[in-house]
Amino acid sequence: MRNFAGLVYNELLKVLRKRRILVVLLILAVLIPIFTYAQYRTVQNTVKQLGTSDWRAVVQQQIIDMQNRLSSSRVPEEWKNWIRLNIQQQQYYLDHNINPTSPGAPTFVRKFAEESLSLFLPLLVVVIASDMVSSEYGAGTIKLLLTRPVRRSRVLWSKFVALQLAVALMLLLSAILSYVISGALFGYSGWTMPVLTGFQERGGELITTHVHLVPQWQYILMSYGLAWFACAAVATISLMVSVLVRSTAASMGIMMAALISGTLLSQLAPSWSALKYLAFTNLELTNFLSGSPTMVEGLTLPFSLVVLSLWSLGSLVVAFTVFTRRDVLA
């Protein structure tokens, strides 16, 4: 057990010493202020257009805008169903006098997790994970690593554990940076603000029988827990690709193409029933927490968790089979 902990520690040090983790931190440090300022400008423009900062007026205007979109013949029927569910949810906020966009750094942290989980955070995971094994081939250190008196399976397990720890660290840093930076504009209060959760969709209708209030700090913990699960699945699949492909550039390219394709397919062909069985169309787990409608029909939180778990398990089986049997010393 002590030897395995040492392997994990060494692999984690490799991850932290690589420039890729610094690139990820730099991306977060640059883009989060941009996202914060963009949201600030959006709020200011909305107040200027409506002539009021009353959140009820803002939500009512959002409902009117969505209703106008429904009247357009150019909007596909799948999108119209999605819009109708959004209208029902916004109306629920109005009817129960709950402000869904109360300003504050905790609200920004929550929204950042919800909005970035579909593509942004998974792409950062790919940057970290795509060279976990392939970089060993490129640097020629794979021979030195595997000539040690340690089973190959333990070596790969140590890489897997170190990778998941690195993913958790990345999410923690993104939350901290989001809170610190956004608080400079929106203030740092709002942790105990009530947030609605428990919305469900059934047959194109919004079901509110299980809706309840939770403090925002609890909602944020649940959001980042689901975000970690989705990112952990992306990291596991990336590890498999890194084992199969000896080139880091090819590994990263394959994963980025798969992620972007999953996002595009969800938007371009949401009625294609087979999409719900693909890993990268099940990443937006926080949608089930917030009640945001999903574009692909048939998705539920348990279903998406099972799909991501099966893809992760399958990826691990492939990765360990190839890594332990391939003649990597040749």
Side-chain angles (χ1 to χ4, degrees), residues 26-69:
L26 181 61
I27 291 173
L28 289 171
V30 171
L31 291 185
I32 288 177
I34 295 176
F35 296 156
T36 302
Y37 182 73
Q39 183 172 351
Y40 174 78
R41 292 298 303 172
T42 299
V43 172
Q44 295 300 312
N45 290 336
T46 302
V47 171
K48 184 177 180 180
Q49 291 173 2
L50 298 179
T52 179
S53 58
D54 182 15
W55 69 269
R56 296 182 65 88
V58 174
V59 174
Q60 287 170 347
Q61 185 60 49
Q62 291 175 347
I63 292 176
I64 292 173
D65 292 340
M66 287 187 286
Q67 288 173 338
N68 291 335
R69 290 183 64 190

Side-chain angles (χ1 to χ4, degrees), residues 36 104-105 108 177-188:
T36 302
F108 182 87
L177 286 174
S178 299
Y179 179 70
V180 171
I181 294 172
S182 64
L185 281 178
F186 302 120
Y188 295 101

Side-chain angles (χ1 to χ4, degrees), residues 110-135:
R110 169 168 59 90
K111 290 294 184 181
F112 178 78
E114 293 173 352
E115 300 295 333
S116 60
L117 188 55
S118 62
L119 188 60
F120 180 64
L121 288 176
L123 284 176
L124 294 184
V125 171
V126 169
V127 173
I128 297 174
S130 59
D131 66 341
M132 285 297 294
V133 178
S134 59
S135 63

Side-chain angles (χ1 to χ4, degrees), residues 163-235:
L163 177 58
Q164 300 303 341
L165 291 175
V167 169
L169 178 62
M170 184 204 73
L171 287 173
L172 177 62
L173 291 175
S174 68
I176 293 173
L177 286 174
S178 299
Y179 179 70
V180 171
I181 294 172
S182 64
L185 281 178
F186 302 120
Y188 295 101
S189 61
W191 287 105
T192 58
M193 184 190 78
V195 180
L196 285 172
T197 186
F199 291 100
Q200 296 178 1
E201 181 269 335
R202 189 178 304 148
E205 293 293 328
L206 191 68
I207 308 301
T208 59
T209 53
H210 300 290
V211 172
H212 59 283
L213 290 169
V214 297
Q216 184 156 237
W217 65 265
Q218 182 178 339
Y219 189 100
I220 290 173
L221 287 178
M222 291 188 292
S223 294
Y224 275 85
L226 291 174
W228 175 82
F229 190 92
C231 289
V234 174

